[in-house]
Amino acid sequence: MELMSFICPKHPTVWDGNGFSECFENMVLGFGVNVVSIIMIVVLGISGRNARRSTRISQKCHSEKVFLHLVPAVGAFLALYDITLLLKRVLQEQSTVYHEWFFKCSQFSVWTTIMLFSKCDIWFFIFYNRMLCFWWITKPILGIPHLQTMFSSLKVIRNFKESCSFVLDIVFVIYLNIGRVMRESSSNRKCGSLEDSLLSCNSEIEEDLGDSGHTRSYWHILTFKSINSVMDRGVLKQLDFEDLIQLPIDLNPSSCHSTLQCCWVSEQSRNFSHPSLFRAVCCAYGWPYFRLGLLKVLNDCIGFLGPLLLNKLISFLQQGSSHFEGYIFAISLGLISIFKSFLDTQYTFHLSKLKLKLRSSIMMIIYQKCLHVSLAERSKFSEGEIQTFMSVDADRTVNLCNSFHDMWRIW
C-alpha cells in the first residue's frame, strides 16, 4: 500500500469496488507494462550485437516490412493523437490527470522504439525472441481492464480509438509469433533444399547430436530440447543408427553394470553366506528411486489443489462478489494444471530411465554370471531358463518400480 500511495497519492487503492482503479490501470497495467516492453527491446538490441558478428543477417520479406513498419506507425499515430487531445485540454484549462499522461506517452514511446529497432540489422534477434513474444502475449491481456473501463464511459470516439489500439496489440502479437514459428520452421527445412549449402546445415545438426552428452542449460534438459535435432533430421530422411542421439554415459550398459556390480561385490563381502540382490539393487539405485518418490508425492499433493481451487472459484461465482480474488483462483487453477502435467512428464521420463538402467544392470549381471560359472553348475539350467532369467524375470523385477510407488499412493 505504501507503493500505491507513492504512485497514486489521491487513489492509493488497487480495487475501487467495481474494478481496478483508473490510476492503477494507467500507472501499473499501462505505464509499467510499456516501460518493461521498452527495456526488453533495448536489452535485446544491445545483446544482439554479438549475434550480428557471428550469425548471418536475416533479410525482411515484404509482409515483415509491412507489419514492422505499418503497425507501429499506426499505433504511434493513435498514441500521439491522445497526447494531442490531452495537450488541448491543458490549453483549454480543463482538468487532466498525470497518470493518463504517463500512460499515453509510454504508449507512444513503445511504438517509436519498435520502429527504430526494426530498422536495425539485428531486428530478427530482437522481435523474434521467445521471451519478447511471450511478453507481447501477456501485454494485451493486462490491457483488458483498461479497455473495460473505457467501454463503461459510453464515449463512441474514445471507445473506437481504444479498441483500435487494443486490436493493434493483438495483430502485432499474432504476427510476431506466427513469423517466429515460420522462420524457425523454414530454417529447419532449408537443410534439404538445393539452394543452400548442405555443409553448414549438416554440421549444425551434427553439432547438436554430438553435444547431447555435454552439459546443457536446465531449461533445455527439462523441456527435452536435445531431441529437436533428431526430429529435424527425421523430416529430411529416414533415420539411421548414426542419426540418433548419443547414449548418455549413465545409460551405457557397461556403466550400469559397473554400478550394480560394485554394490553386489560390497554385499557379498558383508554377507558372504547369504548375499541379497535386493539390497545390492537398493544400494545402487535406491536413492534415485527415493527422489522419484518425493517427486511423486509433490505431484499428488499438487493434484489435490486443483479441486480445492475449483471449489473456491465456484463459491466465489455463486456469491457474486466483485473482488479480484476470482482472477487469482482462475489463474492459479490454470497454472497448477500446467505445473502438474510438467511434473507428470518429468516423473515418467526419469522413472523410465531408472527402469532402463536397472534392466541393463540385471541382464549384464546374469550374463556375467553365466560366463564365469562352471560347466557343471550351468548344466543345471537350460538355455531357455537362462534367457527367461535375462528377459522375463528381469522385466518383472523392473516393473516393481511402478508397483511400489503405486502401492503407497493407494494407501
Side-chain angles (χ1 to χ4, degrees), residues 229-365:
S229 57
V230 180
M231 298 175 64
D232 294 335
R233 181 66 69 89
V235 173
L236 302 177
K237 68 182 187 68
Q238 184 71 28
L239 290 177
D240 299 326
F241 180 77
E242 293 78 10
D243 299 325
L244 301 179
I245 298 177
Q246 294 180 2
L247 192 66
I249 298 177
D250 59 339
L251 288 178
N252 196 298
S254 60
S255 177
C256 298
H257 170 256
S258 300
T259 302
L260 185 57
Q261 179 67 23
C262 292
C263 295
W264 174 247
V265 172
S266 177
E267 176 65 20
Q268 284 182 323
S269 62
R270 290 195 300 265
N271 301 282
F272 180 77
S273 58
H274 299 286
S276 173
L277 179 62
F278 177 75
R279 286 195 293 264
V281 171
C282 291
C283 177
Y285 302 109
W287 175 240
Y289 188 68
F290 178 74
R291 286 183 296 179
L292 286 177
L294 296 179
L295 182 62
K296 186 71 172 177
V297 171
L298 177 61
N299 188 26
D300 291 342
C301 293
I302 292 176
F304 286 110
L305 293 178
L308 294 176
L309 285 174
L310 183 60
N311 183 30
K312 291 286 186 180
L313 181 60
I314 294 174
S315 301
F316 173 82
L317 295 176
Q318 290 176 347
Q319 293 175 2
S321 176
S322 59
H323 205 260
F324 62 92
E325 289 181 356
Y327 293 100
I328 298 177
F329 291 148
I331 294 173
S332 300
L333 186 62
L335 291 178
I336 285 176
S337 300
I338 295 173
F339 188 59
K340 187 178 184 303
S341 63
F342 180 79
L343 290 182
D344 280 332
T345 305
Q346 293 297 318
Y347 172 77
T348 304
F349 173 71
H350 289 287
L351 182 62
S352 300
K353 284 181 60 177
L354 184 61
K355 290 168 61 177
L356 184 61
K357 292 179 183 179
L358 181 58
R359 187 173 183 272
S360 300
S361 302
I362 294 176
M363 292 179 65
M364 291 288 290
I365 288 289

Side-chain angles (χ1 to χ4, degrees), residues 27 34 62 70 109 111-112 125 290 312 318 350 365 383 406:
M27 291 299 296
N34 291 331
H62 179 70
L70 181 60
S109 301
W111 293 117
T112 304
F125 304 98
F290 178 74
K312 291 286 186 180
Q318 290 176 347
H350 289 287
I365 288 289
E383 293 183 359
D406 292 336

Side-chain angles (χ1 to χ4, degrees), residues 22 51 130 138 141 156 159 166 174 188 236 274 280 298 300 307 315 344 348 366 370 385:
E22 185 179 0
R130 297 196 177 192
T138 310
I141 298 176
V156 179
N159 292 342
F166 185 78
I174 292 175
N188 292 334
L236 302 177
H274 299 286
L298 177 61
D300 291 342
S315 301
D344 280 332
T348 304
I366 297 174
C370 293
E385 289 177 329

Side-chain angles (χ1 to χ4, degrees), residues 17 20 42 142 305 409:
F20 292 109
V42 173
L142 297 177
L305 293 178
R409 183 185 181 189

Side-chain angles (χ1 to χ4, degrees), residues 79-99:
L80 186 61
Y81 177 73
D82 289 333
I83 296 174
T84 305
L85 292 179
L86 290 175
L87 185 60
K88 181 180 178 181
R89 289 168 57 185
V90 171
L91 295 177
Q92 293 177 354
E93 299 182 354
Q94 297 180 4
S95 61
T96 58
V97 288
Y98 69 95
H99 50 76

Side-chain angles (χ1 to χ4, degrees), residues 188-240:
N188 292 334
R189 303 301 179 264
K190 280 181 181 179
C191 295
S193 176
L194 296 177
E195 299 176 358
D196 299 317
S197 175
L198 295 177
L199 180 60
S200 60
C201 189
N202 289 335
S203 62
E204 291 177 0
I205 295 180
E206 290 175 359
E207 287 177 1
D208 292 337
L209 294 174
D211 292 341
S212 59
H214 296 285
T215 304
R216 293 179 179 269
S217 64
Y218 287 109
W219 178 251
H220 280 70
I221 295 175
L222 294 177
T223 54
F224 311 107
K225 289 290 185 181
S226 57
I227 202 66
N228 288 352
S229 57
V230 180
M231 298 175 64
D232 294 335
R233 181 66 69 89
V235 173
L236 302 177
K237 68 182 187 68
Q238 184 71 28
L239 290 177
D240 299 326

